[in-house]
Amino acid sequence: MILGIGTDLANIERIGRTLDRFGERFLNRVFTDTERRRSDNRAERVASYAKRWAAKEACSKALGTGLRMGIAWKDMAVSNLHTGQPVMEVTGWAKRRLAQMTPDGYTAIIHVSLTDDHPWAQAFVTIEARPNNAPTLDSVPPSGDKRAKH
């Protein structure tokens, strides 16, 4: 079941101007150390920050609050799996809000999609509630498997 959907479009040039103007103050207020390491090691550094900014905005919308009601920028953090796939981790108030939204017997999963095409960075966040007893990909036989029940 879908609990929330959020999207955001960020202007990369605006994020760049903000970085130029506020530098460390901006970075320390908005991004976690993991996000900073990831972005600072990218050839398109500003675009990387803009995508993470958009992801935080989109996540706050998916949580149904926007950036109000106590959510801090660092309560939402984008990291990447070893495959490069972005994932969103929440802490603090955002984690408490997610728990409030999630029905008993379900686990919340936050899906993140990021893209950029200068001068725009875009993020989509979908929050899914999956039943705790739902089968996993590991427990479902392949479709060609003779053991599969139809």
Side-chain angles (χ1 to χ4, degrees), residues 3-78:
L3 298 179
I5 299 172
T7 185
D8 192 67
L9 185 66
N11 184 287
I12 296 168
E13 293 171 0
R14 182 175 67 92
I15 297 298
R17 287 190 302 273
T18 303
L19 281 166
D20 290 344
R21 183 171 178 198
F22 297 105
E24 286 298 310
R25 192 170 121 205
F26 171 68
L27 293 173
N28 287 330
R29 179 175 169 242
V30 175
F31 300 102
T32 65
D33 291 341
T34 300
E35 290 172 312
R36 291 186 64 179
R37 275 191 304 277
R38 177 78 177 191
S39 293
D40 287 342
N41 288 326
R42 307 292 293 182
E44 297 294 328
R45 177 179 178 261
V46 176
S48 181
Y49 277 119
K51 286 187 284 189
R52 280 154 179 73
W53 170 280
K56 291 168 184 272
E57 288 273 7
C59 184
S60 72
K61 293 171 186 174
L63 289 168
T65 64
L67 283 163
R68 57 181 175 84
M69 296 177 61
I71 281 187
W73 286 103
K74 287 185 177 181
D75 284 352
M76 302 165 289
V78 178

Side-chain angles (χ1 to χ4, degrees), residues 38 52 55 77-81 83-89 110-115 124:
R38 177 78 177 191
R52 280 154 179 73
V78 178
S79 60
N80 297 81
L81 300 177
T83 60
Q85 176 185 347
V87 293
M88 178 70 68
E89 298 173 37
I110 302 174
H111 303 276
V112 181
S113 180
L114 305 175
T115 191
F124 285 96

